[in-house]
Amino acid sequence: MENSFKQNVFLASPNGLNDLALEIFYFQAKYNPVYSKFLQLIDIRPETILSVEDIPYLPVEFFKGHCVSCQPVDDQTNVFTSSSTTGVGVSRHYITDLDLYDISSTKSFEFQFGAVEDYTFRFLLPSYLERNGSSLVYMAQHFLRKSGKGGFYLNDFDKLAEDIIRDKKNGNKVMLLGVSFALMDFAEKYPMDLSNLIIMETGGMKGRRREMTRGELHSFLKQKWNANQIASEYGMTELLSQAYSIRDGIFKCPPWMKISIGQTTDPFGLEKIGKTGTIKIMDLANINSCCFISTSDLGRVYEDGSFEVLGRFDNSDVRGCNLLTPAPFDK
């Protein structure tokens, strides 16, 4: 069953994705013990769910302390873990099929940026490189294997600047992707003209700098590097797919990933288009864990399916790739 889902997720038409989402829901409701128990606790019988809009979303916090998987796992199972910046617990995503993550992360990227092989990647990911189990580092390593061009720099700003200057001279198509605090540190030490590079931030200060809004961060980087736009990535340990923003913090999902907005006063209610609420994510690549995840991120969705991330609800721990301190939002 999982193999048939895997074949169809990335090929289905938009209408077919709705049918596929329901099929996967019934499968996960039966074979994922944690999701099955959650449905029992909220008094939902799977057979009563007849439309995608009615599928219940599992709170992302269940990935802390529970094995959210449709398959048995053991000590040999690959596990992606969150950084748990605030020390309130680590999320664990058990990956029984790494090939699925390779496909999904590649196609998510190429949906907006084109072939991975076309890029020279310069990765500035301290804090992620300094621990084990980062899904972002795994994805970056996968991109480097496919591209064959680029590398990781940790804190070696001098080498990074040297390589970027050479890239500019050689006319390479370069993406500089980094965690926010490291990009700021690098920009302060090496302000220069990077207008011909794609600069992408993954969010998060990891306690290294004061938290700021995405707008503040982008303005700072644009000024230091003479950049017209700053791209962003929205992903997390609990997902196998990523949404990307080319500019202005407006994210787009690949076809098999969809964002809806929940009401802050009702965990099962949905907000209208353009209204602010909690972000709910359908990621059909999560075949072997759970495709339907409710987060504590605040956002809004627009008519074309694009979305903004506006902050975090309450005092939830800052985790995953890309969430900065909340900007004011409309209720």
Side-chain angles (χ1 to χ4, degrees):
M1 180 67 76
E2 298 99 316
N3 286 335
S4 64
F5 289 151
K6 180 178 175 179
Q7 293 171 1
N8 292 330
V9 161
F10 306 111
L11 299 175
S13 66
N15 290 335
L17 283 171
N18 285 337
D19 294 336
L20 183 60
L22 279 172
E23 288 185 52
I24 295 177
F25 163 71
Y26 299 135
F27 169 78
Q28 293 183 337
K30 182 176 181 179
Y31 292 105
N32 185 322
V34 173
Y35 191 41
S36 178
K37 182 64 174 179
F38 169 70
L39 295 174
Q40 292 177 31
L41 290 173
I42 62 174
D43 198 25
I44 294 292
R45 290 183 293 117
E47 64 271 18
T48 65
I49 302 299
L50 303 178
S51 70
V52 173
E53 289 74 21
D54 294 330
I55 293 176
Y57 282 64
L58 181 74
V60 71
E61 289 79 13
F62 274 76
F63 283 80
K64 299 175 180 178
H66 296 83
C67 177
V68 183
S69 177
C70 297
Q71 297 184 1
V73 302
D74 55 31
D75 291 342
Q76 304 304 311
T77 304
N78 294 285
V79 186
F80 290 147
T81 58
S82 66
S83 57
S84 185
T85 305
T86 59
V88 296
V90 173
S91 287
R92 289 179 171 82
H93 193 180
Y94 293 87
I95 309 300
T96 56
D97 186 354
L98 277 173
D99 181 58
L100 187 57
Y101 185 53
D102 292 344
I103 295 170
S104 182
S105 60
T106 299
K107 288 184 176 291
S108 294
F109 178 89
E110 293 183 341
F111 179 68
Q112 289 210 64
F113 295 99
V116 168
E117 289 86 350
D118 292 343
Y119 287 89
T120 297
F121 290 97
R122 305 298 181 192
F123 291 113
L124 194 54
L125 300 172
S127 76
Y128 290 98
L129 285 172
E130 294 163 338
R131 66 177 181 84
N132 294 321
S134 167
S135 59
L136 177 60
V137 170
Y138 179 91
M139 182 181 76
Q141 291 170 335
H142 173 62
F143 286 0
L144 282 178
R145 287 192 296 269
K146 286 183 69 67
S147 166
K149 304 181 292 292
F152 292 93
Y153 292 85
L154 195 57
N155 298 308
D156 193 350
F157 293 164
D158 295 343
K159 181 65 165 62
L160 176 56
E162 177 185 319
D163 287 345
I164 286 177
I165 291 170
R166 186 172 61 252
D167 287 331
K168 288 166 60 69
K169 290 180 179 178
N170 294 337
N172 296 342
K173 187 175 184 179
V174 179
M175 176 171 287
L176 170 61
L177 187 153
V179 63
S180 298
F181 75 84
L183 290 176
M184 293 186 71
D185 290 347
F186 180 50
E188 286 181 340
K189 185 170 183 180
Y190 284 100
M192 52 181 160
D193 184 2
L194 300 186
S195 55
N196 59 338
L197 272 67
I198 297 178
I199 303 163
M200 181 181 294
E201 50 89 4
T202 67
M205 294 301 176
K206 305 297 181 185
R208 310 287 184 96
R209 282 176 171 263
R210 74 170 181 86
E211 299 291 341
M212 60 175 60
T213 66
R214 179 174 293 108
E216 289 177 313
L217 171 66
H218 288 197
S219 294
F220 177 87
L221 296 178
K222 286 177 182 179
Q223 180 183 15
K224 292 291 185 180
W225 285 331
N226 189 34
N228 295 321
Q229 61 194 56
I230 304 295
S232 305
E233 183 236 9
Y234 181 77
M236 58 184 70
T237 301
E238 301 85 358
L239 301 178
L240 292 189
S241 304
Q242 298 78 33
Y244 290 97
S245 165
I246 293 178
R247 65 188 308 157
D248 300 328
I250 304 298
F251 292 88
K252 291 186 178 180
C253 295
W256 60 91
M257 182 181 179
K258 182 180 179 181
I259 303 295
S260 55
I261 300 297
Q263 297 177 359
T264 57
T265 56
D266 179 359
F268 305 109
L270 293 178
E271 284 289 3
K272 296 179 180 179
I273 296 294
K275 293 291 186 178
T276 296
T278 55
I279 292 177
K280 296 176 181 287
I281 304 169
M282 180 179 77
D283 179 8
L284 295 187
N286 271 18
I287 297 165
N288 294 318
S289 55
C290 184
C291 293
F292 315 99
I293 297 175
S294 177
T295 77
S296 297
D297 299 348
L298 284 172
R300 63 167 68 98
V301 171
Y302 298 102
E303 291 285 353
D304 64 355
S306 63
F307 68 101
E308 282 186 274
V309 184
L310 302 174
R312 306 232 2 122
F313 184 68
D314 205 1
N315 291 315
S316 303
D317 61 313
V318 178
R319 58 93 187 90
C321 305
N322 208 332
L323 202 55
L324 306 179
T325 295
F329 58 89
D330 299 327
K331 294 185 178 181

